[in-house]
């Protein structure tokens, strides 16, 4: 019976916690090959943005991205929804509108029935329907561990494009979803997650970040990114380095799912947290090292991190409240101080 399959038992990692660490990724992406020059490629590999953007003329850009991972929940339909939501988020994180998706599926065909894979794909279709796009095709392979994701194409007016390298000193920072997904997923994998907490992470991970398209219309919003496997600190650091600014985070204002600290005390720490901290801890000043268990926690389908100038703050806050998203500032950007990129208070 497909209902008896627990997908997380078939994978060594979970969700975006499977991502290669920022340090290792930097090594992997090094190249001596000179890229083919293209004035039409507006966003490529150089800024660590969420997706690539290509100018097709008439002030319009095509956004291209892909994302896939191993199961973070046991239920196949829910896994499919989470993976699809996470992949489409990269389009919204550029301020764009998704227009089409194709599926990426790896499946241990001799271990897990094909009917279970069907439910994963159905979850992906359901999310694509919610986003108003078609799941138009895809590719599958026989793989030792189950994996699923999407390659997504989006569109955006280039004057609305939000990049990681255009944030400005003085911008206020918002985070639209609470942190702690990695901790909760680890608690589930360790068999420690209480039944009354089982819905918290999936409900958050299945929530589309379509607010990004609306935020791109606000002139005061200078940068957007989604918070996924590198944790809040890792993705904020990408914005800071790309824009040559520093950030101050007010720890007590950062949204965190209520039971997360209980599970941290119970040693439910994802391996990705330590890999993240090892990669970028040198650039962060923490008053308490234990704060890294939340701030470097790898998120799957996390919220949007928004940098907005003072004149746009109230507009952003109002929009987030209307969407029942977290609407309080968590910090701000400053001129680069040549010491630490991120200071947590």
């Amino acid at each position: 019976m497909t209902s008896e399959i627990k997908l997380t038992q078939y994978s060594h990692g979970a969700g975006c916690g499977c991502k290669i660490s920022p340090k290792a990724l930097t090594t992997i992406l090094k190249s001596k090959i000179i890229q083919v020059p293209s004035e039409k490629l507006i966003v490529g590999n150089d800024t660590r943005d969420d997706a690539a953007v290509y100018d097709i003329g008439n002030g319009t850009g095509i956004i291209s991205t892909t994302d896939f991972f191993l199961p973070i929940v046991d239920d196949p339909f829910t896994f499919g929804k989470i993976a699809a939501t996470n992949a489409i988020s990269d389009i919204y994180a550029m301020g764009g509108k998704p227009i089409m998706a194709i599926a990426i599926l790896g499946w241990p065909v001799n271990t897990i029935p094909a009917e279970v894979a069907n439910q994963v794909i159905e979850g992906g279709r359901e999310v694509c329907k919610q986003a108003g796009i078609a799941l138009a095709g895809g590719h599958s392979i026989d793989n030792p561990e189950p994996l699923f994701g999407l390659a997504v194409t989006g569109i955006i007016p280039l004057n609305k494009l939000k990049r990681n390298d255009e944030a400005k000193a003085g911008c206020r920072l918002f985070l639209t979803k609470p942190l702690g997904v990695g901790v909760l997923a680890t608690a589930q994998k360790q068999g420690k997650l209480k039944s009354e907490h089982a819905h918290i992470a999936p409900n958050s991970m299945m929530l589309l970040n379509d607010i990004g398209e609306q935020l791109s219309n606000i002139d005061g919003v200078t940068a957007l990114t989604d918070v996924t496997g590198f944790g809040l600190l890792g993705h904020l650091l990408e914005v800071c380095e790309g824009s040559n600014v520093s950030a101050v985070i007010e720890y007590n204002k950062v949204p965190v799912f209520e039971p997360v600290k209980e599970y941290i005390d119970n040693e439910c720490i994802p391996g990705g947290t330590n890999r993240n901290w090892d990669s970028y801890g040198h650039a962060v000043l923490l008053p308490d090292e234990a704060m890294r268990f939340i701030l470097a926690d790898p998120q799957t389908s996390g919220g949007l991190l928004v940098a907005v100038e003072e004149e746009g703050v109230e507009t952003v806050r109002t929009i987030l409240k209307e969407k029942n998203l977290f609407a309080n500032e968590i910090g701000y950007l400053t001129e680069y101080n040549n010491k630490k990129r991120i200071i947590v208070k």
Side-chain angles (χ1 to χ4, degrees), residues 170-184:
C171 282
R172 304 293 175 171
L173 297 173
F174 290 82
L175 177 63
T176 63
K177 292 183 185 181
L179 301 178
V181 165
V183 170
L184 294 174

Side-chain angles (χ1 to χ4, degrees), residues 168-300:
K168 300 176 182 178
C171 282
R172 304 293 175 171
L173 297 173
F174 290 82
L175 177 63
T176 63
K177 292 183 185 181
L179 301 178
V181 165
V183 170
L184 294 174
T186 301
Q188 177 191 7
K189 204 166 179 65
Q190 293 180 356
K192 298 176 181 177
L193 188 68
K194 297 177 181 178
S195 59
E196 61 265 32
H197 299 152
H199 69 285
I200 295 174
N203 286 352
S204 177
M205 291 186 287
M206 291 186 290
L207 181 64
L208 284 167
N209 280 328
D210 51 358
I211 188 69
E213 188 180 352
Q214 190 173 353
L215 291 172
S216 73
N217 292 315
I218 301 172
D219 290 336
V221 174
T222 63
L224 283 174
T225 191
D226 59 348
V227 176
T228 56
F230 297 159
L232 172 61
L233 292 177
H235 293 285
L236 176 57
L237 183 61
E238 290 178 336
V239 172
C240 289
E241 291 179 339
S243 304
N244 196 30
V245 295
S246 291
V248 175
I249 292 295
E250 298 178 65
Y251 183 76
N252 290 331
K253 294 184 178 180
V254 175
V256 182
F257 290 115
E258 186 173 345
V260 165
K261 293 179 182 178
E262 169 190 340
Y263 290 110
I264 289 174
D265 291 341
N266 204 14
E267 299 184 348
C268 299
I269 310 298
T273 299
N274 294 325
R275 291 193 297 272
N276 283 341
W277 186 249
D278 180 61
S279 295
Y280 54 65
H282 62 280
V284 182
L285 180 62
L286 289 183
D288 182 348
E289 284 263 322
M291 292 177 175
R292 73 186 189 276
F293 297 134
I294 288 174
L295 299 180
D297 182 51
Q299 305 304 288
T300 298

Side-chain angles (χ1 to χ4, degrees), residues 38-340:
S38 173
E39 294 181 357
K40 297 291 188 178
L41 184 62
I42 306 301
V43 179
N45 229 4
D46 50 335
T47 60
R48 296 287 177 91
D49 268 288
D50 296 285
V53 181
Y54 191 87
D55 183 358
I56 60 171
N58 298 320
T60 302
I62 286 291
I63 309 173
S64 182
T65 185
T66 184
D67 213 314
F68 55 89
F69 47 61
L70 307 179
I72 191 168
V73 293
D74 289 322
D75 179 68
F77 187 77
T78 303
F79 170 47
K81 290 187 69 174
I82 291 169
T85 302
N86 180 74
I88 296 171
S89 179
D90 285 344
I91 303 295
Y92 295 131
M94 304 294 291
K97 176 182 179 64
I99 59 175
M100 180 179 67
I102 57 176
I104 300 163
L105 178 72
W107 204 254
V109 292
N110 294 323
T111 306
I112 307 178
E115 290 80 4
V116 181
N118 170 260
Q119 286 301 299
V120 174
I121 296 289
E122 282 289 272
R125 283 198 185 99
E126 176 65 23
V127 167
C128 287
K129 180 181 177 180
Q130 291 173 14
I133 63 175
L135 184 55
H139 183 67
S140 59
I141 62 169
D142 185 358
N143 198 62
E145 295 178 297
L147 64 84
F148 178 66
L150 302 177
V152 191
T153 303
I155 194 166
I156 189 169
L158 288 175
N159 64 341
K160 302 296 185 182
L161 178 65
K162 302 303 176 185
R163 302 169 50 140
N164 281 357
D165 61 353
E166 294 182 344
K168 300 176 182 178
C171 282
R172 304 293 175 171
L173 297 173
F174 290 82
L175 177 63
T176 63
K177 292 183 185 181
L179 301 178
V181 165
V183 170
L184 294 174
T186 301
Q188 177 191 7
K189 204 166 179 65
Q190 293 180 356
K192 298 176 181 177
L193 188 68
K194 297 177 181 178
S195 59
E196 61 265 32
H197 299 152
H199 69 285
I200 295 174
N203 286 352
S204 177
M205 291 186 287
M206 291 186 290
L207 181 64
L208 284 167
N209 280 328
D210 51 358
I211 188 69
E213 188 180 352
Q214 190 173 353
L215 291 172
S216 73
N217 292 315
I218 301 172
D219 290 336
V221 174
T222 63
L224 283 174
T225 191
D226 59 348
V227 176
T228 56
F230 297 159
L232 172 61
L233 292 177
H235 293 285
L236 176 57
L237 183 61
E238 290 178 336
V239 172
C240 289
E241 291 179 339
S243 304
N244 196 30
V245 295
S246 291
V248 175
I249 292 295
E250 298 178 65
Y251 183 76
N252 290 331
K253 294 184 178 180
V254 175
V256 182
F257 290 115
E258 186 173 345
V260 165
K261 293 179 182 178
E262 169 190 340
Y263 290 110
I264 289 174
D265 291 341
N266 204 14
E267 299 184 348
C268 299
I269 310 298
T273 299
N274 294 325
R275 291 193 297 272
N276 283 341
W277 186 249
D278 180 61
S279 295
Y280 54 65
H282 62 280
V284 182
L285 180 62
L286 289 183
D288 182 348
E289 284 263 322
M291 292 177 175
R292 73 186 189 276
F293 297 134
I294 288 174
L295 299 180
D297 182 51
Q299 305 304 288
T300 298
S301 192
L304 293 179
L305 179 63
V306 189
V308 54
E309 294 176 299
E310 189 66 37
E311 60 267 27
V313 165
E314 286 308 314
T315 302
V316 168
R317 196 191 313 277
T318 298
I319 290 173
L320 295 180
K321 285 181 178 178
E322 289 174 350
K323 295 287 188 178
N324 294 317
L325 298 170
F326 190 80
N328 294 330
E329 299 171 39
I330 65 166
Y332 53 91
L333 301 179
T334 68
E335 299 289 346
Y336 179 42
N337 60 22
N338 290 318
K339 294 179 181 178
K340 298 291 186 180

Side-chain angles (χ1 to χ4, degrees), residues 22-44:
K23 181 189 290 186
L25 186 60
T26 298
T27 301
I28 291 169
L29 293 178
K30 285 181 180 178
S31 177
K32 296 179 180 178
I33 299 173
I34 299 174
Q35 295 251 39
V36 176
S38 173
E39 294 181 357
K40 297 291 188 178
L41 184 62
I42 306 301
V43 179

